[in-house]
Each structure stands twice: as C-alpha cells, then as structure tokens.
Amino acid sequence: KTSKMQYYNNPMWPGEAHSLKVEKILYQGKSPYQEILVFESSTYGNVLVLDGIVQLTDKDECAYQEMVTHLPLCSIPSPKNVLVVGGGDGGVLREIARHDSVETIDICEIDQLVIDVCKEFFPNLSIGYKDPRVRLHVGDAVDFLRNSPEGKYDAIIVDSSDPIGPAQALVEKPFFQTIARALKSGGVLCNLAESMWLHTHLIQDMLAICRQTFKGAVHYAWTSVPTYPSGVIGFLLCAKEGRPVNFLTPVNPIEKIQGATKAGKELRFYNSEIHRAAFVLPTFVRRELESY
Ligand SMILES: NCCCN[C@H]1CC[C@H](N)CC1
C-alpha cells in the first residue's frame, strides 16, 4: 500500500494527484525499462500506467492519439513516409492508417513488454499494428534515428512517456537534431510537450531548442485529456524549412482525412476546427512562451 504522501511526490507534478477507482487489476509487471500496470477502472475503461503515471485510458485516449497524429499529418500535403517514436500501444499507428497517402509507417518503441501488454488489453489501440504499412523496430529511438537515412520522413511523431525515465533523452537538443536530419525538406515533427499549467519552463526550453533546430514554423498546441495531470496536454509542431510557407503553417489543416480506420471506427475527437483551435493559447501562455 503506498502512503498518501507518495502520491504527491512525482517531480513532474509535485503536490497534486489524480485518482481513478480500480475495479480489477488486469496486469502487473516490470520490464527492463519501467513498471507496467493495467487495470479496469469503473468509469474510464482499461487504464495503462507506466512507473505510476497514467499513459492512456479507453475513454479518453482518442483525444491524445487523434491530435498527436492529425495535427502534423493534416498540415502537410499527402504525407508518404511517417515515423513514430514510442507509441508502443499502437494508437498512433491506428490513426496514421486513416491517411491513404501514407506508404510506410515505421515505429521505434524501446519496450517490447509494453507492446505485448497492449496487444492483450487494448485491442482498440493495438489494432494499429495490423496495417500492412507498419514496420516495427524495438530499440532506442536515438540509435534508430542516428542510423536513419537523411531526409527520409515527411512526418515524425514522438509519442513518448514523460521526460523522466526512458524518455528523458527525447527532449534534449541532440535528439531534435537527429529528427531534423531524418525529416524531408518541409517535413514536420509533432512532439509531446506537456502541460501549460505545469511545465512552462520545460516548454520554453523545448521551444528554444526547436526554434534553433527547425527553421520553418514552431508552434505549441494543446488539447484536453481528462486523465492527464491538469487535464490538458501540449504538442510542439515543428516544420523543417523547404516547403512554401502556406504549407508550413501546421496551424491550418490542408489535408482532409479519408475517415474510418481499418476496423471502421470513425474519428471521435479531431476535426479541422479543433485543429485550428488547438493553437489558440490563453493569455498567460502567450506571455510565457512568446519570447522563446
Ligand atoms: N501513447 C500514449 C500516450 C503517451 N503520452 C504521454 C503519457 C503520459 C502523460 N503524462 C504525457 C503523455
């Protein structure tokens, strides 16, 4: 039994905690990288927890998976080659598969156990692995990207856990430089960028690095995910120079999504209006981010 104090000790969100009622523990294990827990909640469906941090729930995963995927893929004309860093649950793969223009989907996930657990307990997400365009690489994304050919990808989506633990390296400058090298000219990166309520210093640091590394546009976007701390999560949209500016405003969707997934599931969260709205920031956020 963990003490109440322990709940409030996560350095990413000190002094606060969010709780879900547990109906049944479905899986508990430990990989070489992190502790993995899956439980059936009473109101959010199945829940995936890594090192004590909620990664996704059946009820609200659509918000994160659809936005982290379609903000980049709908902001460039007919994306062909896409890379997912992390995303072992398969939800982003499911969303990328909605885009008929996509020819190859590479995914580099460090933890095989996360993949196996999600295939067993999250069929609506791991369905993403069924798409024939998907090529799975289990390993460290830093190495994967270093060995990737230059200018290979139209879009790279970094669907990682928080930058404490295995994903620490994914918010540091060398990683962003390997991403920029792997992107085609005019290519776009969408990176997890944490909460405007809790992490503006981290966001400022990432914005500064990305503005130096990506000479195209760099924009912060956000969406509502009730089971993430503070109820919102952010994304950093970074465009590499090289395409006419009107294509490089990730703010305006230029690609329509063809619609249903392989399983016939329609979008539940993303649409063109919420795409634009995601880049509209509260005044305190504008003030805190504008000079970065
Ligand atoms: N693919 C599932 C989402 C993983 N993204 C993170 C989960 C943990 C959150 N604190 C931040 C987003």
Side-chain angles (χ1 to χ4, degrees), residues 13 53-56 64-65 89 159-160 162 192 228 233:
W13 31 85
I53 300 173
V54 169
Q55 299 295 304
L56 60 93
Y64 177 91
Q65 317 285 1
D89 48 80
D159 171 25
S160 63
D162 297 287
L192 160 68
Y228 286 170
I233 194 73

Side-chain angles (χ1 to χ4, degrees), residues 115-261:
I115 298 171
D116 299 339
V117 166
C118 291
K119 284 187 174 175
E120 182 167 351
F121 296 104
F122 296 95
N124 290 332
L125 285 102
S126 56
I127 189 170
Y129 285 101
K130 291 197 166 43
D131 191 287
R133 295 167 284 182
V134 171
R135 297 169 319 189
L136 170 62
H137 311 264
V138 180
D140 186 325
V142 175
D143 301 335
F144 179 84
L145 277 160
R146 205 179 289 127
N147 302 322
S148 288
E150 200 163 333
K152 178 174 180 185
Y153 296 107
D154 296 280
I156 297 178
I157 295 166
V158 180
D159 171 25
S160 63
S161 48
D162 297 287
I164 44 174
Q168 170 68 43
L170 305 187
V171 292
E172 288 160 0
K173 186 163 186 173
F175 183 67
F176 285 110
Q177 289 170 325
T178 58
I179 288 201
R181 192 182 68 78
L183 278 174
K184 286 179 187 167
S185 119
V188 64
L189 158 69
C190 182
N191 206 76
L192 160 68
E194 302 299 355
S195 162
M196 60 170 75
W197 290 106
L198 308 175
H199 304 120
T200 42
H201 292 304
L202 171 64
I203 298 166
Q204 288 162 351
D205 294 348
M206 289 171 74
L207 273 172
I209 292 171
C210 289
R211 293 229 158 97
Q212 293 160 13
T213 312
F214 297 91
K215 300 287 177 265
V218 176
H219 293 276
Y220 182 79
W222 62 288
T223 197
S224 142
V225 182
T227 54
Y228 286 170
S230 79
V232 295
I233 194 73
F235 309 101
L236 216 50
L237 273 291
C238 309
K240 191 171 168 179
E241 72 287 354
R243 190 170 270 133
V245 172
N246 62 324
F247 283 151
L248 283 194
T249 47
V251 179
N252 295 318
I254 58 170
E255 275 283 301
K256 282 276 175 219
I257 297 179
Q258 287 72 21
T261 62

Side-chain angles (χ1 to χ4, degrees), residues 34-65:
Q34 51 213 333
E35 285 189 11
I36 305 175
L37 164 70
V38 180
F39 67 86
E40 182 189 333
S41 69
S42 45
T43 49
Y44 277 79
N46 284 358
V47 182
L48 174 66
V49 183
L50 300 181
D51 283 346
I53 300 173
V54 169
Q55 299 295 304
L56 60 93
T57 80
D58 281 329
K59 182 182 174 80
D60 65 3
E61 55 90 3
C62 60
Y64 177 91
Q65 317 285 1

